[in-house]
Amino acid sequence: MPTPLALYMLELINNDRAQFGLDPVVLGNNPAAQIHAQDMFDNYYLSHWGTDGLKPYARYTLGGGMNYEQENSAYSGWYDRSVDPGSYATIVPAEELQQLEYQMMYGDADSNWGHRDNILNKWHKKVSIGIAFDSRRLTLVQQFEGEYNEFTGMPVLDNGVLSLSGRITVGELDSVALFFDPLPQPLNQSDLLNGPKSYSLGTRVATIVSPPPPGYYYSRLPADAVQASSWNISGGAFSVRADVKTAVDRHGPGVYTVVVWTKSGTDYVILTNYSLFVR
C-alpha cells in the first residue's frame, strides 16, 4: 500500500501538471525509487548514482521496469555527519516535500530546469516515488516512466546477437540503439558528493538500422551502424534482430542498455531503456 506521504507527493506532482494542462500520472510500483531514496538517506548523499554504482535506468530495469524512466532526486536537511545534527532544524516531512517540489518547479535554474521538464513531460504515464526521512533530513526520488511498450520477447544478447520484440501503443517504430556503461563499481559518500550527480545514457556503441529494400543500399551510415538481420513491423507489433558482436567484443563486459524510439507526429518518444548486464 502506498504511504500517505507518497500519495501527497503524487498530488503535488499532478497539481503542477494540471496547471500546464497535462494529464495526471498514476502511482507506479517500481521499487527502484524507494531503494535509491533509502540509499541516499542511509549514506548521506544526493546523486542519481547509487553506492552500488548503478545509474537510474539500470536500477529501474533490475526493479522489473520495461519502459523508459526519467528520475528526479532531492535531499533536504543534515548530511554532514561531522556536524552536530542539533544545529539543523527539525523537519516536517510533508512541508519538506512541498518545498522540494516547489524548488524543482520554480528554482531549478542551476539544473537547467531538468527537474521541472521531467515533471511536465507530457508523455509520462506513471511515477514511482521513494521517500526516506527522520526528524532532521529527508530524501526524495521521483522516477517517471511511460507505458507505451509491451515486450513479447524481452531484449536478449546471445553470443553477440541482440533480439527483442514487442507491441507499441503510440507512433511507429523509428530506431533502436545500444549504449554501453562499464560494470558498476561501489561508490562511497565522498565519491557521490564529489562526482557527477546527473546522469545520461552511456556511450552509444551500435545504431540498429533496418535492411534496405532489395536492390537498394545505404550510401551513408553512422560509423556505429549495424544493419538488422531481421526488422519486422506489423501494425503495432515489432521484432528486431541484429548482430552486434563487434561492438560487444570491442567494449567487453558492462551494462548494455537497449533504447527504442518511436515517432508520433513530430515527437520522438523513447519506448524503453532496458539494461542488459554482460559479465
Side-chain angles (χ1 to χ4, degrees):
M1 290 292 292
T3 66
L5 285 177
L7 293 175
Y8 178 59
M9 187 73 254
L10 179 66
E11 180 184 350
L12 293 174
I13 291 168
N14 283 331
N15 286 345
D16 284 331
R17 289 176 64 87
Q19 289 184 41
F20 290 84
L22 298 171
D23 291 337
V25 291
V26 300
L27 196 63
N29 59 5
N30 191 293
Q34 184 60 43
I35 288 170
H36 190 50
Q38 193 65 51
D39 189 47
M40 290 196 299
F41 182 84
D42 291 343
N43 295 282
Y44 296 79
Y45 73 91
L46 171 62
S47 176
H48 289 293
W49 301 56
T51 56
D52 53 10
L54 290 173
K55 291 182 181 180
Y57 47 87
R59 281 195 300 273
Y60 172 76
T61 297
L62 292 175
M66 293 183 290
N67 291 280
Y68 72 77
E69 69 74 40
Q70 293 182 4
E71 182 185 275
N72 285 344
S73 60
Y75 189 115
S76 180
W78 174 50
Y79 72 91
D80 186 346
R81 283 177 280 189
S82 68
V83 174
D84 177 9
S87 63
Y88 283 76
T90 300
I91 68 168
V92 178
E95 293 178 2
E96 291 300 313
L97 292 177
Q98 185 180 40
Q99 286 299 314
L100 290 173
E101 177 71 7
Y102 184 88
Q103 185 68 22
M104 287 189 286
M105 281 292 298
Y106 301 106
D108 197 40
D110 287 347
S111 296
N112 199 29
W113 302 102
H115 298 91
R116 175 190 173 98
D117 290 345
N118 198 11
I119 293 167
L120 299 181
N121 187 319
K122 71 178 183 179
W123 293 105
H124 292 338
K125 292 290 187 181
K126 296 181 179 180
V127 60
S128 295
I129 294 171
I131 300 169
F133 67 95
D134 62 14
S135 63
R136 303 288 182 181
R137 57 202 180 94
L138 179 145
T139 58
L140 167 68
V141 173
Q142 304 169 338
Q143 192 163 48
F144 293 92
E145 60 183 304
E147 197 175 34
Y148 304 104
N149 171 64
E150 179 183 347
F151 284 120
T152 54
M154 301 299 294
V156 173
L157 266 174
D158 185 11
N159 292 320
V161 176
L162 173 67
S163 59
L164 64 153
S165 62
R167 182 172 295 278
I168 60 179
T169 60
V170 62
E172 296 181 356
L173 182 68
D174 180 78
S175 54
V176 179
L178 194 64
F179 290 78
F180 170 80
D181 287 294
L183 285 172
Q185 301 296 322
L187 300 170
N188 60 34
Q189 184 202 33
S190 178
D191 296 329
L192 292 160
L193 290 177
N194 297 311
K197 294 180 175 58
S198 61
Y199 75 102
S200 60
L201 291 166
T203 302
R204 185 192 289 243
V205 298
T207 299
I208 316 301
V209 298
S210 61
Y216 290 83
Y217 64 92
Y218 290 109
S219 59
R220 293 191 192 91
L221 283 175
D224 65 356
V226 175
Q227 288 191 37
S229 57
S230 175
W231 183 286
N232 298 312
I233 302 174
S234 178
F238 71 91
S239 64
V240 175
R241 183 178 175 88
D243 187 342
V244 293
K245 189 174 189 303
T246 299
V248 173
D249 287 347
R250 181 184 306 122
H251 293 275
V255 181
Y256 289 85
T257 300
V258 182
V259 182
V260 181
W261 286 270
T262 183
K263 188 176 182 183
S264 177
T266 59
D267 289 344
Y268 290 90
V269 184
I270 294 179
L271 292 179
T272 186
N273 41 11
Y274 189 89
S275 295
L276 299 166
F277 291 75
V278 176
R279 302 184 185 278

